[in-house]
Amino acid sequence: MAGIHPSRLINFRPVLPFILAVTGGVLLRAQIFTEPFDYPDGELALVSGGNWTAYNVAGGNPILVSGESLTLTGGAAGTRYLASRPLGHPYANGIVGHPLNSGFLTYSFTLDFSVGVAPATGSQALFISLLDSHANPRAQLRLVAPISSGFRLGLEADQDQSIPTDALTGDLSSGVHTVTVRYSLRNPNGESLAASLWVDTDISNPPTAVDSVSAPLTGPLTGLGLRQFTVAYSGLTLDDLSVHYTGVPEPETYAGAAGAALVAWTFLRRHVTLAQKQAGKMSGS
């Protein structure tokens, strides 16, 4: 390799944009949990081996596992049963300085309403949501009475708000559907909460429904919740539930910096190795 200047061996120019990009943060897609509900038949909180915990229970009517899927029904006035599963780490929900203060939390599942009876006209039933550290629902889905037949889904970024028209699906047939809900952790104005819903379509396509609302932040997101609460309906079966995070950790965090450095170093070392091999071939020719 005599006579070859080192700058010909290691040309940093092609990799500089990559290094600058990754040191600002590393794009992650982390599976938080998958839930096939492959437990014995019975009350979810009792048969799930500690994965799910019941809370705010009154008047019976528990959420049940049946045939390795989940059955949800409404209840009479005054009855409620809520169950939650932790996410493992707090996700920031727009809290400045938190390492997971950006990106998205996404949950998806299959919903079978083949023999379902929707809530009565004018009624709606919350049945699944993300939960913050105070058990307040975020990115929640409600089962809503249809316009003519089947059922509708309503999306709420926050709790206890009215569902605007663009956050409601049209009538869905009484069959099997794939459902995906994505919640934005980065709140543009420090308060704006945003969620999107896809039904029977991939998230690369425009969402079926969207919702955003200005509301006070009450804490990081820590769990996913299921509930049966007061409003009567029947025949909703839920299965193949999964939750994942996608996003870029804040660059000032140790995790983000360490991950960025590792990726950058791995790429740079590969580039240097290839340059050295090429230089060796040149010197031997």
Side-chain angles (χ1 to χ4, degrees), residues 5 9-10 20 62 64 71-72 96 98 137 146 153 183 209 211-213 216 221 224 229 260 267 269 278:
H5 194 273
L9 292 180
I10 306 175
L20 292 174
L64 299 174
T71 60
L72 292 168
V96 176
H98 193 283
L153 293 177
Y183 182 83
D211 187 40
S212 62
V213 61
L221 298 174
L224 184 128
F229 191 80
F267 187 91
R269 187 174 65 174
Q278 183 179 8

Side-chain angles (χ1 to χ4, degrees), residues 118-125 142-147 152 162-163 168 231-232:
T121 301
S123 299
Q124 50 187 253
R142 292 179 178 268
L143 190 67
V144 181
I147 297 172
R152 290 183 292 170
S162 59
I163 303 177
L168 272 169
V231 177

Side-chain angles (χ1 to χ4, degrees), residues 32-33 35 37 44-45 51-56 63 70-72 80-88 105-109 125-143 156 179 181 183 220-229 233 236 238 241-243:
I32 297 173
F33 68 77
E35 177 58 273
F37 297 108
L44 176 63
N51 288 334
W52 294 86
T53 302
Y55 69 102
N56 198 8
I63 295 175
L70 199 70
T71 60
L72 292 168
R80 61 181 180 271
Y81 187 101
L82 289 77
S84 66
R85 178 164 176 168
L87 299 179
L105 278 175
T106 302
Y107 65 89
S108 60
F109 56 92
L126 168 61
F127 65 96
I128 187 169
S129 72
L130 295 170
L131 297 171
D132 70 16
S133 55
H134 300 283
N136 296 311
R138 296 282 187 253
Q140 58 181 302
L141 277 184
R142 292 179 178 268
L143 190 67
E156 293 180 82
V179 179
V181 175
Y183 182 83
L221 298 174
T222 56
L224 184 128
L226 301 164
R227 66 173 61 194
Q228 294 181 152
F229 191 80
Y233 66 92
L236 191 157
L238 191 149
L241 173 65
S242 68
V243 183

Side-chain angles (χ1 to χ4, degrees), residues 38-127:
D38 53 351
Y39 309 120
D41 289 0
E43 183 177 339
L44 176 63
L46 299 181
V47 300
S48 64
N51 288 334
W52 294 86
T53 302
Y55 69 102
N56 198 8
V57 175
N61 195 33
I63 295 175
L64 299 174
V65 175
S66 177
E68 297 192 353
S69 59
L70 199 70
T71 60
L72 292 168
T73 65
T79 65
R80 61 181 180 271
Y81 187 101
L82 289 77
S84 66
R85 178 164 176 168
L87 299 179
H89 300 281
Y91 291 82
N93 198 25
I95 298 172
V96 176
H98 193 283
L100 294 173
N101 184 41
S102 60
F104 303 93
L105 278 175
T106 302
Y107 65 89
S108 60
F109 56 92
T110 58
L111 183 157
D112 187 346
F113 206 61
S114 297
V115 295
V117 177
T121 301
S123 299
Q124 50 187 253
L126 168 61
F127 65 96

